[in-house]
Amino acid sequence: MLIGADSGGTFTDVVGTDGRILKIPSTPADPGAAVRDGVAGLTGGGSRPELLAHGTTVATNAVLEGRLARVALVTTEGFADVVEIGRQQRPSLYDPWHDRPEPLVGREDRLEVHERLDAAGAVLVPLGPELPRPADGVEAVAVCLLHADLEPAHEREVAARLRALGWDVSASHEVSPEFREFERTVTTVLNAALRPVCGPYLAGLAGEAGEVAVMTSAGGLVGLDAAAASPASLLLSGPAAGARAAAAVAAACGFPDAVSFDMGGTSTDVCLVLDGAPAEVAQHEVAGRPVRLPSVDVHTVGAGGGSIAHLDAGGALVVGPASAGAVPGPACYGRGGTLPTVTDADLVAGRLPAGVGLSGIGALDHGAAITALAAAGVDAEGVIRVVEAGMEQAVRRVSVERGVDPAGLALVAFGGAGPLHACGLADSLGMAAVIVPAAAGVLSAVGLLTSPRRRELVRSRARPGDPSGLDDDLAALAAEAVALLPGATVRTFVDARYAGQSHELTVIDPSGFAAEHRARNGYDRPGHPVEVTAVRAVATLPAPAAIEEVLAAWAGRWPEPVVGPVALVRDDCTIWVPQGWVGSEGALGSLVLRRRAEA
Amino acid sequence: MSGAADLQVLIARLTGIAEEMGAVLQRAAFSPNIKERADCSAAVFDAEGRMLAQAAHIPVHLGSLPASVAAVIARFGTSLGPGEQAMVNDPYEGGTHLNDLTLVAPCWVDGELIGWAANRAHHADLGGAAPGSLPADATEIQQEGLRLPPVRVTDDTVAVVLASSRTPDERAGDLDAQLGANAVGVARLARLSPSSFHEVLEHGERCCRAALDRLGEGEWTASDVLDSTAAGADGSDPARIVCTVRHRDGRLTVDFTGTDAQRPGNVNAPEAVTVSCVSFAVRAALDPDLPANAGVLRPVEVVAPPGTLVAATFPAAVGAGNVEVSQRIADVCLRALAGAVPDRVGAASQGTMNNVLIGTAHPGVSGAAWVYYETVGGGQGGRPPRPGFPGAVARPGMSGVHTGMTNTRNTPVEALERAYPMRVLRQRLRRGSGGAGLAPGGEGIERELLVLEDVVVSLITERRVSPPWGLAGGGPGAVGENWLLPGGDEARAERLADKCTIRLGAGDVLRMLTPGGGGWGPPA
């Protein structure tokens, strides 16, 4: 058997290729315990599974909670403070107390080396013989020298000398060999700071299956060793798996272009799907810090079922950003919460049927929800419309950013609260259909089994304006990628821009750049020189399991017909089908909802 | 009873339109200044030109965009048809400084004008006496570049803009992005019902009144100086800005009477910039979450006597108004407000944007004309304990950060060196430059730039003479310093003025030390 295990804040979801699922309460102090329990639960203590595919929150939580190793940073002389100056922006225009994230490296741990390369990677100042000495108490070292993405010789030498002394070193040309020193530095430092945290955790899972694979932010499975070496690539592990599975379900239902909508208790993840795959980006943000590694382009909104509603000073009904969290939670949880949340509004509005119990919570307290809403002077329908208006902006944002109009796409709803709000959201955006996948409550765990094994490589080009040698660069990188993943299919891309621009578009080859620029930005510049700043390669091997196999057991579980208004209560989520909407079973055991006129 | 929800849904949609316009503008822009530094903003307006929502990336655009729409309405009335757009940059007819080109588009629905979409972007070069269109020695607006009153955007008028610029390719791409952003705004605004737009303004007004309740009634005055006004006989004398804040009968008056007369140099601000600074200071001191709409300013009156530094009249040069005078106006407003709400205002931040403009129209090694524009961060002032957070403690200012009226990103060293014939020799925090205090000021930045071909450099900087002030017993931050090292030779280092336009030869090094923030509270 193959098993997918996705660690979440509340539950660890476990799915087998036979379609069985388990929801195990997460064990934050030792997240591996819930994973091990889940594996044991599915195997019944019998033979070890052939494969465990894991989505982990260990790296993300370490960043969010500041549980990071102490890191020394080695930079080019004169540039020790890049990690603090950043892009010199403040996070809030008007709030003087809104600080930037703390620099990940203390001033005493920023070390400079005497060396310098020029903008083409040629040596201006040779690397000096002296080696900076990390202080006692430092657990890992990051090395990020200027222009090392073009010429890593100095970085390699510094890293080798430090490794010879026993230091755990992350070098920027290994972690994120792309230009723009602040982003590369932060990514490298995060990687260094996470290795001592993630390494032992991942090693502890090694015996759980014949093979253990880990989901990266880019939505691909890598082996335990690769994951432990590059934990900065795991920061969107769970959301990436969910987006990949959502994309597969949408495509199977006839919607290769869609938006995934994963609404949970405290936040909501939205991702554009094009041609059956989640959109990807070369850089994302975690807790206000840039991470320059490939990832699915998930946009997170700080609103979910637990978001608190109130009237602002001007009398408008505002939802969030404060959240009741799991404790005290929504008023209807009966755990002491008195402030009205989206979940309370869903209950009072009848979207969550009275008497329904939520897994792990039990029966909901209808009266407490009514009291909380009334005390705050807000009404249930109003709260719902406001939270959906916020989600509407998030969906528009991920699609408009890519020059795509969300009207006509499908909305793939999952997570505890997604299917409660999807139809309203789809209505306001003119979207064609709402798809609730089978196993919507454990979709990320399904995605772990059905995502490809994958590695990504990138190399900067020293002379972006010179097209000669581009084919050789691409072929060399492709060969490198295959060496990492023998037998893989490799696709190559280039980062291209018009000369004079400071931003790049990733396209298959430079000849397609003008068309992509026109599609994304509305114009192109015929005759203007095109530069290639970097080459990329993506190597993939097929997923461990086909999604048809994993979801086979879920066919035929929807009532027929589904006619709104009705709330469908399932084990893993509740679906609200409003007046005027009808649904029927679609591919892969999903429920496809449409407005009646179109059904 | 869903009025409160309907209102918020409308606010969310209007804000969403402005943000979507901003996203289109930033995504599609050609030049690094807009794309990478986000020196741009977008907003939607009702039919009378009252701002309904704005997506601002830098505060100096906050209150000044409405003046552009007002100027377009004054000139065109309803004669701009569906699909047409106007553009304007004239500081004396709706603009701020010439670099900021604002595009304004009407939104027609079934023959009725229901609103406007507008966006502004800082164009790196629109002609004038020095690359970057901010010549430090300008004495009249004509020297600063192309001056456009509100005109229709046509192939002909665009051709004039391109012909005026040292970098026409960038301009063409940026204008396409601006046109596209407004087109998106108009299309989306057309789907909303204008009959409720007034409720958004009334909400803004109520929010502002609630914020003003934090102020007792009274009158508070503060003054501060600009180091110099560059050109002219009195150009090297400090120039004074005086601000009196009066709160009476639910109205806030911000009165600049007593401010020095405008000067021959470019250190003069149009009134629209002054309104932006007042908006900024009110938010920073009273409520950072105030909505960005015209209703918010209804309880606020700005008195800016014409012909002064804060309400310049034709033909004054105004290049530094947006980028430097604005910082001092914000400082003075905040200092006056500190008298009213001492627990909500920190010490002075660096108080300058440290503008550096470098370029050449006569390329040497690089083979093409180029213009590089950068602003450099510095120290934030030390801060009192965060209001509303019991147990909070006074906090040092952030270091190497943009404060006040700007928030543009820096150009990464690696990106800069690969794009321009220049090399950054050093970019570090300026240790020890923050003012002493219970909460010390943040530190400035030390930056050395080597030029690899002959160029023209303009520096437009402040706080090189008068330091960022401490507050509540804290000490001042270190003043900034500008230096030229001919041929990179430390022994021949010469101090440069705070504002200057000079020629550099290949191998020369420009060294800039930016100011630290003031300290807050007596040092321990």
Side-chain angles (χ1 to χ4, degrees), chain B residues 79-291:
Chain B
S79 70
L80 270 183
E84 290 192 308
Q85 299 200 26
M87 61 180 166
V88 56
N89 75 341
D90 182 356
Y92 297 111
E93 200 169 346
T96 50
H97 64 170
L98 295 178
N99 299 87
D100 281 344
L101 202 49
T102 304
L103 268 71
V104 181
C107 178
W108 291 92
V109 179
D110 299 331
E112 185 197 354
L113 180 71
I114 69 148
W116 301 84
N119 70 79
R120 167 173 297 163
H122 180 115
H123 286 254
D125 188 279
L126 284 174
S133 310
L134 290 168
D137 48 5
T139 55
E140 52 181 280
I141 183 119
Q142 282 82 1
Q143 293 161 336
E144 299 190 301
L146 175 70
R147 182 169 157 234
L148 286 170
V151 295
R152 267 191 182 77
V153 179
T154 66
D155 288 350
D156 293 345
T157 53
V158 167
V160 172
V161 173
L162 303 191
S164 306
S165 176
R166 294 173 179 85
T167 47
D169 279 338
E170 277 188 12
R171 302 292 71 77
D174 289 345
L175 279 171
D176 278 342
Q178 288 192 272
L179 288 164
N182 273 355
V184 163
V186 165
R188 291 205 49 210
L189 192 60
R191 287 186 222 150
L192 300 183
S193 164
S195 61
S196 330
F197 286 172
H198 66 95
E199 292 179 22
V200 172
L201 303 176
E202 287 150 16
H203 171 258
E205 181 177 350
R206 288 194 297 271
C207 288
C208 185
R209 291 192 186 285
L212 290 180
D213 284 344
R214 295 191 165 131
L215 287 177
E217 295 215 331
E219 180 173 307
W220 305 272
T221 297
S223 73
D224 202 342
V225 294
L226 290 152
D227 290 340
S228 78
T229 53
D234 53 358
S236 52
D237 298 343
R240 180 159 302 272
I241 296 176
V242 179
C243 171
T244 300
V245 172
R246 258 175 242 112
H247 186 222
R248 215 162 275 151
D249 303 328
R251 285 194 68 75
L252 187 76
T253 305
V254 184
D255 184 347
F256 293 92
T257 301
T259 297
D260 283 357
Q262 67 189 47
R263 299 272 189 90
N266 68 355
V267 187
N268 301 298
E271 186 180 0
V273 168
T274 303
V275 173
S276 288
C277 301
V278 170
S279 295
F280 168 78
V282 166
R283 276 177 171 72
L286 298 181
D287 182 1
D289 295 325
L290 281 180

Side-chain angles (χ1 to χ4, degrees), chain A residues 148-171:
Chain A
D149 60 312
L150 295 176
E151 173 47 70
H154 285 180
E155 243 186 47
R156 210 176 267 144
E157 174 67 23
V158 172
R161 290 191 213 163
L162 287 165
R163 281 173 181 146
L165 295 174
W167 290 103
D168 178 9
V169 179
S170 291

Side-chain angles (χ1 to χ4, degrees), chain B residues 118-510:
Chain B
N119 70 79
R120 167 173 297 163
H122 180 115
H123 286 254
D125 188 279
L126 284 174
S133 310
L134 290 168
D137 48 5
T139 55
E140 52 181 280
I141 183 119
Q142 282 82 1
Q143 293 161 336
E144 299 190 301
L146 175 70
R147 182 169 157 234
L148 286 170
V151 295
R152 267 191 182 77
V153 179
T154 66
D155 288 350
D156 293 345
T157 53
V158 167
V160 172
V161 173
L162 303 191
S164 306
S165 176
R166 294 173 179 85
T167 47
D169 279 338
E170 277 188 12
R171 302 292 71 77
D174 289 345
L175 279 171
D176 278 342
Q178 288 192 272
L179 288 164
N182 273 355
V184 163
V186 165
R188 291 205 49 210
L189 192 60
R191 287 186 222 150
L192 300 183
S193 164
S195 61
S196 330
F197 286 172
H198 66 95
E199 292 179 22
V200 172
L201 303 176
E202 287 150 16
H203 171 258
E205 181 177 350
R206 288 194 297 271
C207 288
C208 185
R209 291 192 186 285
L212 290 180
D213 284 344
R214 295 191 165 131
L215 287 177
E217 295 215 331
E219 180 173 307
W220 305 272
T221 297
S223 73
D224 202 342
V225 294
L226 290 152
D227 290 340
S228 78
T229 53
D234 53 358
S236 52
D237 298 343
R240 180 159 302 272
I241 296 176
V242 179
C243 171
T244 300
V245 172
R246 258 175 242 112
H247 186 222
R248 215 162 275 151
D249 303 328
R251 285 194 68 75
L252 187 76
T253 305
V254 184
D255 184 347
F256 293 92
T257 301
T259 297
D260 283 357
Q262 67 189 47
R263 299 272 189 90
N266 68 355
V267 187
N268 301 298
E271 186 180 0
V273 168
T274 303
V275 173
S276 288
C277 301
V278 170
S279 295
F280 168 78
V282 166
R283 276 177 171 72
L286 298 181
D287 182 1
D289 295 325
L290 281 180
N293 70 49
V296 170
L297 284 181
R298 282 177 181 166
V300 180
E301 184 186 4
V302 178
V303 178
T308 64
L309 297 169
V310 297
T313 49
F314 181 81
V318 294
N322 220 34
V323 296
E324 290 298 333
V325 184
S326 65
Q327 292 287 56
R328 196 65 63 255
I329 299 172
D331 282 347
V332 180
C333 290
L334 284 170
R335 179 127 202 193
L337 284 165
V341 280
D343 57 329
R344 306 186 72 92
V345 178
S349 296
Q350 71 160 342
T352 171
M353 299 188 192
N354 301 300
N355 300 272
V356 183
L357 303 101
I358 306 180
T360 175
H362 308 284
V365 294
S366 55
W370 56 274
V371 176
Y372 158 83
Y373 177 36
E374 187 97 74
T375 57
V376 186
Q380 183 194 30
R383 297 163 287 175
R386 186 175 198 180
F389 287 74
V393 296
R395 250 194 271 176
M398 290 184 274
S399 296
V401 68
H402 265 316
T403 52
M405 302 306 292
T406 191
N407 198 30
T408 51
R409 275 181 280 198
N410 56 15
T411 308
V413 172
E414 290 172 344
L416 186 162
E417 294 188 354
R418 292 177 202 190
Y420 303 102
M422 295 189 286
R423 193 174 293 146
V424 180
L425 302 182
R426 203 152 60 102
Q427 181 158 295
R428 296 192 54 175
L429 292 174
R430 189 182 170 202
R431 301 282 155 97
S433 55
L438 175 63
E443 292 171 340
I445 288 177
E446 311 173 356
R447 190 164 185 265
E448 284 180 2
L449 199 58
L450 165 70
V451 300
L452 300 172
E453 70 178 37
D454 297 354
V455 296
V456 176
V457 176
S458 293
L459 299 179
I460 314 266
T461 65
E462 270 290 326
R463 294 295 194 203
R464 267 48 183 174
V465 180
S466 80
W469 32 265
L471 201 61
V479 293
E481 298 174 20
N482 304 333
W483 293 86
L484 169 63
L485 281 62
D489 184 353
E490 190 76 49
R492 291 160 60 204
E494 62 181 273
R495 185 88 176 251
L496 296 172
D498 49 277
K499 299 172 192 71
C500 57
T501 292
I502 55 172
R503 290 179 182 281
L504 296 191
D508 289 346
V509 170
L510 202 58

Side-chain angles (χ1 to χ4, degrees), chain A residues 149 171-178 183-184 187-188 292-293 458:
Chain A
D149 60 312
S172 83
H173 71 277
E174 294 168 346
V175 176
S176 174
E178 299 190 57
E183 289 77 2
R184 190 170 75 249
T187 307
T188 307
R292 195 154 174 85
L293 286 167
V458 58

